[in-house]
Amino acid sequence: MKLLAALLAFPLCVDAQPRVASSPRARPAIRVEELDGHLRFLSSDLLEGRAPATRGGDLTTEYIAAQLRAAGVEPGANSSYFQTVPIDVVGAEQASIRVSASPRTGGSVALRYPADVVVWAGSATPNSAARGELVFVGYGSTAPEYRWDDFKDVDVRGKVLLVLVNDPPAPPGEPAHFGGRAMTYYGRWTYKFEEAERRGAAGMLIVHTTERAGYPWHTVVGSWAKEQRMLPGDPTRPAPLGVRGWITDSAATGLLARAGLDLAQLRVQAETRDFRPIATGIVVDAAFRNRVEHLSSRNVVGRVRGSDPRRRDEFVTFSAHWDHLGIGPAVDGDSVYNGAEDNASGTASLLAMAHVASHGARPRRSLLFVFVTAEESGLLGSAFFAQNPVVPIEKIVANVNVDVVTVRGRVRDLAVLGENKSTLGPLLARQLRPRGIRLSPDSRPEAGRFYRSDHFSFAKAGVPAISIGAGMDFVGRAKEWGEAQEAEWIAKRYHQPSDEYDATWDLSGMAQIAEIALSFGQLIADLNSMPTWNADAEFRRVPSVRTVGQQ
């Protein structure tokens, strides 16, 4: 009864609203009150952290579908609001996890879980194991376009690889090397695991530093020291790693020192094209049993049909992930990872956008609102959607994503991931110029945020895609205030139980971002021509879509 009462307390239909001009179509305004109602419920403890393939996840998807139905948004997935996504849930029996090293110099050392290392299964198998010599492979990248190869044809089959996070730093005179300050996909840990699998490695450990990873060690623990979710294995891909994992910088330093190696010196060597893999003489032995469940979760899809009979079978997609981390390691006595900002804020925004889009003049193309599952497990829901689209992928002309929408008030600038990769960025800048809102450069390009949210799955499938979020310049605040808020969020709340709803939040900025994202999508839906990738964008041709690794 409590849950029913909570559901009934949230707005389900449009009241009489003032109609506002909305570039270029009139429609109801996005209301802060509606955003607040969705946000309160989606981040409630009742949903138990919204983990996919759980009771809380199922309640979340039912809530989203009910809201779409009540708002008059049509089902978008073959006369249903739901697209079933198969999910394998793998939980390690932590008591049997053993990660140790035996250097040639004698002795062995046990790495503490999760203080020193966090490891998990590379696939949904009852037993995971990786036993082999530890080989340091620098940044683990093979990038012909940058004349870079960390492997140099060294056979690493059956080895456990030790790799540095992020891209190699740009050497003097090569500012565009691996994107300069901005991370490329080669710097993402997903790529590093994929490359290790292609080369037949037994396992991989990525050396973590807060500066290079972009988040502290407790984020690694909160994200990975628990059961993992993954899409079922693809038999056409290489055999998965037996063990995937992260290791702290201090633990890696101490481990290598036992073999007479200096991690700081190895880092320097890894920054040159002449680097070759280094066999350490250290034997790593990791083995643990897994609890495996073959379950399913759901993407939720709604459609607002376009007005032009010749264009309504083309689509602009809006996306946001509804999931978070569920129940995890307790922090200060709280084990519910509510994910209020990440990403109940985006889900609430997308619901409000779909709500008002269905009441007003329709653009020429249709609008598809896609609420995806398992983003926190590695963009799994959006990857599945891109591989199994409910409409032909070539008919999706663009994707506009919202992830972690601001709860701190209105902004004078936007942070737009992917704004320099396609015609979408300049188009958005032109639309916003009369409003006095500018696009600001990514404040943390080294964090590789373009590759960390669901628009990336659309991009990998060849669809021009961006993610729209707040910048750092808040109305009525000094810019330093916004930067301080961002830093505090990453340090204290990102992927932590403390990401909880706060009644003092100023949601006017959330309404502003939702309004901008919807207006921009409607503008795209009215264009005569389709958005295109820039000539130097890695996604300008539709590639074969691979399953995205875990995030």
Side-chain angles (χ1 to χ4, degrees), residues 251-467:
T253 298
L255 188 61
L256 292 171
R258 296 175 66 87
L261 297 170
D262 186 331
L263 181 55
Q265 292 181 0
L266 295 180
R267 275 199 174 92
V268 173
Q269 295 177 41
E271 293 174 3
T272 69
R273 287 189 172 91
D274 296 332
F275 170 82
R276 293 183 61 83
I278 296 172
T280 68
I282 297 170
V283 176
V284 173
D285 190 352
F288 45 92
R289 291 164 43 197
N290 300 310
R291 303 181 309 276
V292 179
E293 296 180 276
H294 302 290
L295 304 176
S296 65
S297 185
R298 296 184 292 194
N299 293 332
V300 187
V301 187
R303 178 188 312 210
V304 174
R305 199 172 298 273
S307 61
D308 186 343
R310 296 172 300 175
R311 296 288 192 187
R312 65 172 47 144
D313 290 333
E314 297 175 348
F315 299 86
V316 173
T317 58
F318 299 91
S319 59
H321 74 91
W322 59 257
D323 66 295
H324 200 55
L325 301 176
I327 307 295
V331 178
D332 296 329
D334 187 358
S335 60
V336 179
Y337 288 65
N338 303 88
E341 292 186 66
D342 184 13
N343 187 36
S345 65
T347 305
S349 297
L350 205 62
L351 278 172
M353 290 159 59
H355 188 178
V356 301
S358 65
H359 293 77
R362 306 288 180 91
R364 298 169 64 193
R365 294 182 176 89
S366 296
L367 308 178
L368 212 60
F369 295 87
V370 187
F371 302 79
V372 294
T373 184
E375 187 266 0
E376 302 291 8
S377 301
L379 317 183
L380 302 186
S382 57
F384 185 85
F385 183 92
Q387 295 162 2
N388 305 274
V390 300
V391 298
I393 196 71
E394 65 273 11
K395 294 292 187 180
I396 300 178
V397 303
N399 170 249
V400 178
N401 186 63
V402 285
D403 190 356
V404 187
V405 183
T406 185
V407 293
R408 296 173 182 84
R410 296 175 64 84
V411 293
R412 289 184 286 258
D413 69 331
L414 297 182
V416 179
L417 305 179
E419 55 90 16
N420 59 346
K421 294 180 180 289
S422 73
T423 56
L424 293 176
L427 182 64
L428 177 60
R430 286 197 300 272
Q431 186 190 31
L432 294 177
R433 198 169 294 125
R435 305 188 191 188
I437 300 174
R438 66 190 185 280
L439 306 188
S440 291
D442 187 354
S443 62
R444 297 171 57 241
E446 69 281 359
R449 291 188 288 191
F450 179 78
Y451 310 101
R452 292 169 56 181
S453 194
D454 294 297
H455 59 282
F456 180 55
S457 295
F458 287 90
K460 288 187 75 174
V463 177
I466 60 173
S467 189

Side-chain angles (χ1 to χ4, degrees), residues 101-174:
S102 301
R104 290 190 185 126
T105 52
S108 64
V109 57
L111 299 176
R112 298 169 301 164
Y113 180 98
D116 295 327
V117 66
V118 172
V119 291
W120 62 93
S123 62
T125 57
N127 296 286
S128 294
R131 188 178 192 279
E133 184 177 12
L134 187 71
V135 178
F136 177 68
V137 292
Y139 288 89
S141 299
T142 302
E145 65 271 38
Y146 296 114
R147 297 182 292 115
W148 194 275
D149 179 10
D150 281 323
F151 290 90
K152 303 293 192 300
D153 295 324
V154 172
D155 186 358
V156 296
R157 286 176 294 180
K159 307 297 185 181
V160 177
L161 307 184
L162 185 69
V163 65
L164 301 173
V165 71
N166 214 313
D167 291 315
E174 296 187 66

Side-chain angles (χ1 to χ4, degrees), residues 2 16 25 52 99 118 123 192 442 480 517 533 535 539 544:
K2 276 187 174 180
R25 301 191 172 274
V99 182
V118 172
S123 62
K192 297 174 191 291
D442 187 354
E480 292 75 16
W533 290 107
F539 313 106
S544 60

Side-chain angles (χ1 to χ4, degrees), residues 512-534:
Q512 179 191 29
I513 299 298
E515 165 68 31
I516 288 171
L518 178 57
S519 296
F520 184 54
Q522 290 177 321
L523 175 66
I524 299 168
D526 273 329
L527 293 176
N528 289 324
S529 58
M530 296 170 60
T532 57
W533 290 107
N534 295 344

